[in-house]
Every structure is written in C-alpha cells, then in structure tokens.
Amino acid sequence: MEQIKVTPLTLRRKLALELWRLREKNIREEHPLRQLFWECTLRCNLHCRHCGSDCKVKAEQKDMPKEVFMRVLDSIAAKTDPHKVFVVVTGGEPLMRDDLEDCCAEIYAKGFPWGMVCNGLYLTRERFNGLLRAGLHSITISMDGLEEDHNWMRGHKDSFAKVSHAIDLLVAAEGLVFDIVTCVNRRNYAHLDEIKEFLIAKGVKRWRLFSVFPMGRAAHDPDMLLTNEEFRGMFEYIKRTRQEGRIRADYGCEGFLGNYEGDVRNRFFSCQAGVTVGSVMADGSIASCASIRADYAQGNVYDGDDFMEVWENKYDPYRNHDWMRKGDCKDCEYWRYCRGNGMHLRDENGDLLFCHLKRLQSQ
C-alpha cells in the first residue's frame, strides 16, 4: 500500500484537533440522539446524474405509512426529550407525498422540530405555506449551477427556474433557516463565482458545497469527479469565500481535511453517523445518515424492532471504528482525528471508497 505523504499539521491546528478529539470521544460514549432522518419516500421527480439512491418516479419500495414513523417518534419521546431531536424529512423527493404536510404537522405536534431536504421542483407557494403551517424549521435546496449546468445535472428542463422561484420563497420567509447546496463537479467548477454571485443577489446567506463520492450513478461518470487539482482548488475557493464574508460558504460534513480543518466549515471533522444521527429508511431499516447506501442497518421497524432499544444497544459499527483500520487507514498517522472518514464512504465490504487527505496530497 502506497504511503500517504501529508503536510504536517500546524501546532495551533493540532492542539485544536486534540481538544476536538477528546470532545468527540465523550460524545461517542454518551451517543445522544440529536438528529433523525426520515426517508419518507424513494419516489423522485428528477433524474440526477449524481444520485446515490437511484430514486425513480415510481419506486419499487412503497412510501412508509405515516403511522409507522409516528410509532418511531413515540419510542424516542418515551426515552428522551423530543425537543432535542431534530427530524430531517428526506427522500427521494419528500414533496412527492401528497400527505407530507399532514405527516410533518403530526411530527411537530409530538414535540419534534423538523426540517427537510428538497429539490425545489414542486415547492409552490401553496405547498410552502402549508409546510410553514406544519412547523417547518429549516430547509435545504439543491442548486448545482446556473440554468444550463443545473438542468444538465438534474435532468429536467424546468428545474433551475423552479429552484430560483423556491429560493425567493425561502428568502422572503421570516425566521426560516435554510441553505443552498451545490454538488461541485467538472462542469460547474469553473463557474463557482457565477453561482456565488447569483445566490448573493438573491439574498442567500448560507451556501454549502460538496464533492461527489463514487456511489450510485456518479461512480462511473467522469464529468462528476474533480481532478486532484480541482479538488484542492475547491477548498481554496471555499476558504477565500469565507474570508470575503459576503456569504457563509461551508464544505459538507465529510472527510478529514488536514490543514483545511477549521478553514472551510464551522466545525472540525467527525462522522456523527450512529453517534448523534440516526435514520429510518423507506424500507424500514434502522440506520444512520441517509447518505449511507451500504447495508449497515441495525434493525428494521417493519420487523417490529423498537428504535430506541436499537439505538441504545446496537450501532457498535458506527461508534467503534477499529474495524476500519485497514487499507489506507491502517498506518495513517491521522487516524486519531479522522477515524476512517465518513461511514457513507465505506462499501459493503467495509473498504474505504474515497480518502480526502490522500486526494489533497496527490500531485
């Protein structure tokens, strides 16, 4: 195995990372549930080039009935304060469900704050108002470029226009927390400044950028995967944008980034999957981060498993990462800070698909 040659961490960054490591160790031991993803449907109204779920307009997996998920919330509320557990409604595309507003109103009535991830195509003013009445706290909308690039990415000629309209709705909604996420790829990389200026002109305050990982449709699409030079350039761009202060730019939650830690997002890296983040997937699986496509499920609500019993007594693969110490991770001097990268970057055999630090150091 090729030894990864990395630029040594600065002393200041190393001290900060050591403090962060101790904090995260305590959190793993306590593993308080703080975020719960609900994959309420696998149906989707788009055909995105980078989709890791391979969602479809007519998914083979039926939508999870509202009553099933409400039993999960009752299990959680019996063991912990529901006001401290944020429910993230995701898919597929949640707005494919005609009963979404009813589902979310009941989530809110049970004491759980909630938000959603949405592609914007069906976010009309009427539905948006209905979601606000149901207690919507936050929302994430995807925009992967200006019109031509975004529509190419999303596979729909009207997608950009709908997203632009959706952003106007979000900006005008008082007190709503929202961000726009952009999947940086080879096609839109050269146009990040144009995307930034568009968002600032719209009134957007938070912009989250992430890079494609080799799963789903993106695994074999060369247009999706940045070169090593572009990969480093993306982090330099985020760093400069944060220094400008005109819009808060953040890299996504994945990956230990060496000396970019602390410069491109508001927290140091740690994978919270199964530590503070759980999920209930469309097929009933009790899992963790909704981005994890390999089968690391810890139970299934359709089989009668109680969510909180599973949360309290299982999830060892998420909380003890010793099994990840193989391949590039085996002798890596930065294991203490990275702990094997994000769980969503492990395949069904437990092998690491993508090492951020390795790419950042590649020539």
Side-chain angles (χ1 to χ4, degrees), residues 128-129 132 136-138 168-178:
F128 183 56
N129 288 341
L132 290 174
L136 177 67
H137 277 56
S138 70
D168 291 337
L169 294 176
L170 306 187
V171 170
E174 186 175 348
L176 181 69
V177 176
F178 73 94

Side-chain angles (χ1 to χ4, degrees), residues 149 152-153 183-191 212 221-230 359:
D149 288 345
W152 169 83
M153 184 79 152
C183 177
V184 183
N185 57 75
R186 299 215 65 195
R187 179 158 171 156
N188 67 13
Y189 175 78
H191 305 294
V212 167
D221 189 339
D223 289 325
M224 291 292 98
L225 304 178
L226 298 174
T227 66
N228 291 335
E229 183 180 2
E230 291 167 340
R359 290 206 68 192

Side-chain angles (χ1 to χ4, degrees), residues 113-150:
W114 69 275
M116 65 182 290
V117 179
C118 175
N119 63 36
L121 193 66
Y122 285 176
L123 193 62
T124 62
R125 181 175 296 277
E126 292 73 20
R127 295 213 70 178
F128 183 56
N129 288 341
L131 294 168
L132 290 174
R133 288 193 296 270
L136 177 67
H137 277 56
S138 70
I139 186 169
T140 292
I141 299 283
S142 297
M143 196 188 91
D144 298 310
L146 299 186
E147 186 164 16
E148 184 178 348
D149 288 345
H150 177 84

Side-chain angles (χ1 to χ4, degrees), residues 138-349:
S138 70
I139 186 169
T140 292
I141 299 283
S142 297
M143 196 188 91
D144 298 310
L146 299 186
E147 186 164 16
E148 184 178 348
D149 288 345
H150 177 84
N151 289 346
W152 169 83
M153 184 79 152
R154 296 285 162 171
H156 195 293
K157 65 181 179 61
D158 298 323
S159 182
F160 180 80
K162 297 293 186 180
V163 166
S164 180
H165 175 66
I167 291 174
D168 291 337
L169 294 176
L170 306 187
V171 170
E174 186 175 348
L176 181 69
V177 176
F178 73 94
D179 66 352
I180 304 301
V181 296
T182 297
C183 177
V184 183
N185 57 75
R186 299 215 65 195
R187 179 158 171 156
N188 67 13
Y189 175 78
H191 305 294
L192 293 178
D193 261 340
E194 298 167 41
I195 300 170
K196 179 183 71 176
E197 294 302 329
F198 175 86
L199 295 176
I200 291 173
K202 283 279 195 179
V204 173
K205 304 298 183 185
R206 298 183 181 184
W207 182 28
R208 184 155 38 104
L209 299 89
F210 68 98
S211 49
V212 167
F213 53 94
M215 293 284 281
R217 297 173 191 155
H220 307 291
D221 189 339
D223 289 325
M224 291 292 98
L225 304 178
L226 298 174
T227 66
N228 291 335
E229 183 180 2
E230 291 167 340
F231 191 66
R232 288 190 295 271
M234 174 182 61
F235 292 108
E236 287 294 329
Y237 183 83
I238 294 172
K239 185 176 177 179
R240 288 197 307 272
T241 300
R242 289 171 68 87
Q243 291 170 345
E244 288 175 0
R246 299 168 63 217
I247 187 171
R248 192 182 107 178
D250 295 282
Y251 184 61
C253 62
E254 66 182 29
F256 176 70
L257 307 175
N259 279 311
Y260 284 110
E261 287 292 328
D263 288 343
V264 295
R265 52 191 169 206
N266 283 7
R267 64 194 304 274
F268 292 123
F269 170 71
S270 63
C271 181
Q272 293 298 302
V275 178
T276 62
V277 177
S279 72
V280 178
M281 308 299 279
D283 65 357
S285 295
I286 296 174
S288 187
C289 169
S291 295
I292 299 173
R293 306 321 303 182
D295 186 11
Y296 293 105
Q298 302 296 290
N300 194 294
V301 297
Y302 286 138
D303 293 337
D305 292 327
D306 179 82
F307 181 89
M308 282 306 288
E309 182 179 346
V310 171
W311 178 261
E312 291 172 350
N313 299 308
K314 295 188 178 181
Y315 280 87
D316 186 63
Y318 293 93
R319 296 166 189 165
N320 181 355
H321 285 191
D322 288 347
W323 61 274
M324 294 182 179
R325 296 208 72 166
K326 58 182 180 177
D328 285 334
C329 297
K330 184 177 182 180
D331 299 313
C332 181
E333 63 180 297
Y334 294 105
W335 167 268
R336 64 193 293 108
Y337 308 128
C338 179
R339 299 183 70 252
N341 212 316
M343 279 286 292
H344 69 289
L345 295 176
R346 295 279 164 173
D347 66 14
E348 63 276 5
N349 299 314

